[in-house]
Every structure is written in C-alpha cells, then in structure tokens.
Amino acid sequence: KSILELLDLGPGNYFLDAQSIADDLLFHVAERVAPYGAAIGMVYGERALGNIQKRLRGKKQEAKRIEIKLGHTSNLPFNQEQFSVVLYRNTRHVHNFQRVMQEAWRVSERNARIVVCHSYWEYELPANAPAEVKKALQDIQSPQFKNGVDFMEQFQSLPWRSVDFDVYTLVSNQDEHKLRYNGAWRTYLREILGGEKYYCPEDIQKIINYIEQNKVPMRADRYLGIGKSP
C-alpha cells in the first residue's frame, strides 16, 4: 500500500506487477484503477501461476479487474505502450538489467512510471567471523553490482524523463530503528537463504545463533527507484 501511495494510481490506469506473488497487492490496485483500468500480474512458472489463480478464485468479486500472465521480465508478453505503471519487486531476480528496462519501456506509455525495489543489507561482522557466516551474509545481498557501480546508480544513469528515490529500513535487529514495515529480520533472512540459496534450516539457525550471540548489528534497507519512461 505504501508503494501505491507513492504512485498515485487512479481510474483508468493499467498496472503491471512483473514479479507477482500471491499477496493482496493486485487487489489493492484493482480497487484504485476501477472501473476502466486493470491490474495485471506476471509470473515465471506454472506453480506460481497456480498459487495466484487459487487466491483469485477465493475472491471472485474483487478479482474482476485482475489478470495473470505467464512470462519473463526480459521478454514481456504484452503489446507496446500498454501500461501506466510497471513494478519490479526485487532486483534479486533481475539478471539482465538493461534488457529488462528496455522491455519495461516498450510496454509502457509515454511518461509511465517504472518502479524497481532493491534491498541492501548492512552489517558489521567481527574480523574472526566463521567463513560460512561471511558467505551466508554475502548470499543475502542482491547481486546487482557492475564494474563497482551499485544498482541505484545504474538505475539513475538510464535516460529517464525524471527519476525519484525512496528508502526505508525494512528489517532490523536494532531497537533504535523505526521500521516503516514491521519486519522480522530472522524471517527475512530465512526466506532468502532457505528459499533462494537452498541452505538447510539447521545451517540457517547456526547463522542466526552466531548473529545473536555476537550481537552483530544487522538491517535491510529497501531502495525504491521510480523512473518516468522516455
């Protein structure tokens, strides 16, 4: 909902969630763009497609202006100049950034908003931290660096009509951080290492235990880039 507030969606807008999951985002969008717009989600695999379709069947009335498509971020299955907003939820799954942005521009109207969410973890490990802990914390980072240039610098350098940024702390193990979302750092770390990097639950728990026992300060910041398409 916070992202939607920044985007100022309204009736008649066409919205593409290019990395859709089975949550409530598309329902919130459909409410805002009715009666003439549409909320469209795209997923990569049949299993993800089935999960979202199951959720939609449970909310038939709310799902009237929602569509789900199979596709890939580097080859979007849509016509030119179709969308008012295109959202990419996570740069962890964007492997050819230039190609992905070219596809976003192709399917977007003039002055459409292209939105990219990018997470970055901050932490301070002791110099003698075990190698497996160092490796795990490297694995949780989004791998969007090129020739020493971080992701947001790459995003800003593209030929946008205009570009804006927002940043907030998503999860933290430090009490002094005020979180925009009430995130749980252990849950987020487990999701990344267990779901994407195939760490077993026992190894993940050992990493969490080390962080807690050694009071390693950790937080994940989420950067939001909003560019107006050329």
Side-chain angles (χ1 to χ4, degrees), residues 47-192:
R47 181 177 180 183
L49 178 64
N51 289 339
I52 295 179
Q53 289 178 332
K54 180 179 179 181
R55 187 172 179 81
L56 294 180
R57 286 194 294 270
K59 295 186 175 184
K60 289 183 180 180
Q61 186 64 32
E62 298 92 329
K64 284 184 177 180
R65 302 209 62 80
I66 296 175
E67 299 176 36
I68 306 296
K69 299 275 190 179
L70 274 174
H72 195 278
T73 54
S74 62
N75 188 18
L76 298 175
F78 304 105
N79 296 327
Q80 294 183 1
E81 301 180 7
Q82 186 171 345
F83 295 101
S84 314
V85 175
V86 179
L87 170 67
Y88 296 89
R89 293 179 181 240
N90 198 331
T91 56
R92 298 188 64 83
H93 308 295
V94 174
H95 301 295
N96 187 339
F97 181 57
Q98 292 287 346
R99 172 64 179 169
V100 168
M101 289 297 98
Q102 287 172 2
E103 277 292 277
W105 292 334
R106 181 184 65 80
V107 302
S108 298
E109 303 170 346
R110 185 180 177 88
N111 283 326
R113 284 147 295 174
I114 313 299
V115 186
V116 179
C117 299
H118 174 72
S119 299
Y120 184 78
W121 288 79
E122 296 276 0
Y123 52 85
E124 298 177 18
L125 277 177
N128 63 348
E132 59 269 23
V133 174
K134 293 180 180 178
K135 176 64 167 58
L137 297 190
Q138 289 173 356
D139 282 342
I140 64 175
Q141 294 287 23
S142 294
Q144 291 299 326
F145 290 85
K146 185 177 181 182
N147 300 327
V149 180
D150 71 23
F151 177 80
M152 280 296 139
E153 289 179 277
Q154 294 178 52
F155 185 86
Q156 188 172 19
S157 70
L158 295 173
W160 304 108
R161 288 185 174 274
S162 64
V163 63
D164 292 308
F165 295 97
D166 187 52
V167 60
Y168 54 90
T169 298
L170 183 65
V171 296
S172 175
N173 64 357
Q174 297 167 272
D175 293 337
E176 63 269 23
H177 284 136
K178 294 182 180 179
L179 306 184
R180 184 178 300 186
Y181 298 126
N182 186 24
W185 70 271
R186 299 175 191 83
T187 300
Y188 194 33
L189 188 144
R190 285 191 178 101
E191 286 178 358
I192 296 173

